């Protein structure tokens, strides 16, 4: 009886705890939280002053007594206290915008983790969720959650190749019969693209830009492949000159951004090619027919699917709303107990 009341009042949550963004999914409501994984706090007292979008706006603008931190790095928890505080805030925010309850119940949560996460890293994610108020925390690997969120039948014997390009990691997985046959996790992803682009502008133009500007430039005119002789996009990028310290604006072409991003993109595509080389022949035939499913925010990079095809000779396709695939997959697992038992990570779970 008590469990039934708890289930009625509490929203069970699917959580994509990403390096760049945190997303939360509720059954019958969809994705209700899309916020940057950023926390602003006092340096000495560690008192939190802002989360998410509000905190991200403070990057590069804080006074001496405040600091802006990203609690996750390379897909894993780098600051446990900040991560717990951020999760607590979002879980409470979800319930406060829902139904009125006299006392906040504890939800069940399914949280995604990188496929290459160690046992210690997995335990840290689960402990952070429990500290934030979850009564049960289930872990699922990001590419598995992405495949489920992309409406792929992961329990089928036919092979599925999923590539999830997130902010902190790129996770690749060959899935069959509800399990990962082959998998890899790279620390080359969206954040690294922002970093190499900022370095490129600094070295070529002596232009110093921040993390936010580099990301905006990548999203606006970034690409992985130029098809035909179409006119290249251009964008005005503003920053500080390293020569005289004064503000400066430069017009940057898409080709230059593509050149800057190419080392990271090449590493991701070569990892896909290597995974294909290790794929059993029976499953390789399945992938040749179904293609490579691209998920995560990085999948939206213009021309990436074409570049993968040119390298591997296997078609690649971008899932619908690729940035939401992982969190949708986590949400669907809460609705399907049989599938959750099949695909959840068992190590360290309570």
């Amino acid at each position: 009886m008590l469990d039934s009341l708890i289930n009625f009042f509490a929203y069970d949550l699917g959580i994509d705890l990403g390096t760049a963004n945190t997303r939360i999914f509720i059954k019958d409501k969809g994705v209700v939280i899309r916020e940057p994984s950023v926390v602003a706090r006092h340096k000495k007292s560690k008192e939190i002053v802002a989360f998410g979008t509000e905190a991200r706006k403070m990057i590069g603008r804080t006074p001496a007594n405040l600091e802006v931190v990203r609690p996750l790095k390379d897909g894993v928890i780098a600051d446990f206290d900040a991560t717990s505080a951020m999760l607590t805030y979002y879980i409470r925010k979800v319930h406060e915008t829902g139904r009125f309850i006299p006392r906040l119940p504890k939800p069940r949560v399914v949280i995604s983790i990188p496929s290459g996460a160690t046992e210690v890293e997995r335990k840290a994610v689960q402990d952070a969720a429990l500290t934030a108020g979850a009564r049960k925390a289930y872990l699922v690997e990001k590419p598995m959650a992405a495949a489920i969120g992309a409406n792929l039948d992961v329990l089928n014997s036919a092979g599925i190749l999923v590539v999830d390009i997130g902010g902190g990691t790129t996770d690749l997985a060959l899935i069959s019969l509800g399990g990962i046959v082959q998998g890899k996790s790279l620390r080359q992803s969206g954040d690294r693209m922002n970093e190499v682009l900022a370095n490129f502008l600094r070295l070529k133009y002596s232009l110093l830009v921040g993390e936010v500007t580099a990301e905006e430039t990548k999203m606006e005119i970034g690409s992985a492949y130029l098809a035909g002789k179409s006119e290249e996009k251009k964008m005005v990028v503003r920053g500080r000159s390293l020569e005289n310290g004064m503000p400066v604006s430069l017009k940057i072409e898409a080709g230059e951004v593509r050149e800057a991003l190419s080392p990271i993109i090449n590493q991701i595509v070569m990892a896909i090619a290597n995974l294909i080389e290790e794929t059993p022949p029976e499953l390789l035939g399945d992938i040749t027919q179904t293609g490579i499913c691209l998920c995560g925010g990085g999948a939206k990079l213009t021309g990436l699917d074409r570049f993968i095809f040119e390298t591997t000779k296997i078609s690649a396709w971008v899932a619908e709303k690729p940035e939401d695939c992982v969190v949708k997959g986590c949400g669907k697992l809460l609705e399907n107990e049989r599938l959750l038992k099949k695909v959840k990570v068992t190590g360290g779970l309570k």
Side-chain angles (χ1 to χ4, degrees), residues 156-233:
N156 199 296
S157 60
I160 299 169
L161 181 53
V162 177
V163 180
D164 176 56
I165 307 173
T169 60
T170 294
D171 292 280
L172 304 81
L174 174 63
I175 299 171
S176 178
L177 296 171
I180 295 179
V181 181
Q182 301 278 357
K184 291 184 179 180
S185 184
L186 310 176
R187 303 303 195 212
Q188 307 294 340
S189 54
D191 283 353
R192 282 287 294 137
M193 291 182 194
N194 300 340
E195 184 180 327
V196 298
L197 179 54
N199 288 338
F200 175 86
L201 296 175
R202 178 173 56 84
L203 293 173
K204 186 171 182 178
Y205 294 110
S206 296
L207 178 66
L208 185 64
V209 299
E211 171 189 334
V212 175
T213 300
E215 184 175 14
E216 289 175 350
T217 305
K218 176 192 71 177
M219 295 175 67
E220 183 70 22
I221 61 173
S223 62
Y225 186 86
L226 176 63
K229 297 181 179 180
S230 58
E231 186 177 347
E232 291 274 45
K233 293 181 180 180

Side-chain angles (χ1 to χ4, degrees), residues 68 74 88 184 198 202 307:
V68 178
D74 297 333
T88 302
K184 291 184 179 180
R202 178 173 56 84
F307 186 49

Side-chain angles (χ1 to χ4, degrees), residues 4 15 20 50 53 67 73 76-77 99 145 150 156 188 214 238 281 325:
S4 298
I15 301 177
T53 302
E67 62 179 354
K73 183 176 177 59
V76 298
I77 293 176
R99 63 198 77 173
N156 199 296
Q188 307 294 340
R238 295 175 176 83
C325 283

Side-chain angles (χ1 to χ4, degrees), residues 73-108:
K73 183 176 177 59
D74 297 333
V76 298
I77 293 176
D79 188 319
F80 184 86
D81 291 337
T83 302
S84 297
M86 184 176 70
L87 278 175
T88 302
Y89 172 77
Y90 288 137
I91 289 174
R92 288 185 176 275
K93 186 175 180 180
V94 165
H95 283 79
E96 286 170 2
T97 56
R99 63 198 77 173
F100 172 76
I101 44 178
R103 186 176 180 181
L104 183 68
K106 294 185 175 182
R108 292 187 312 153

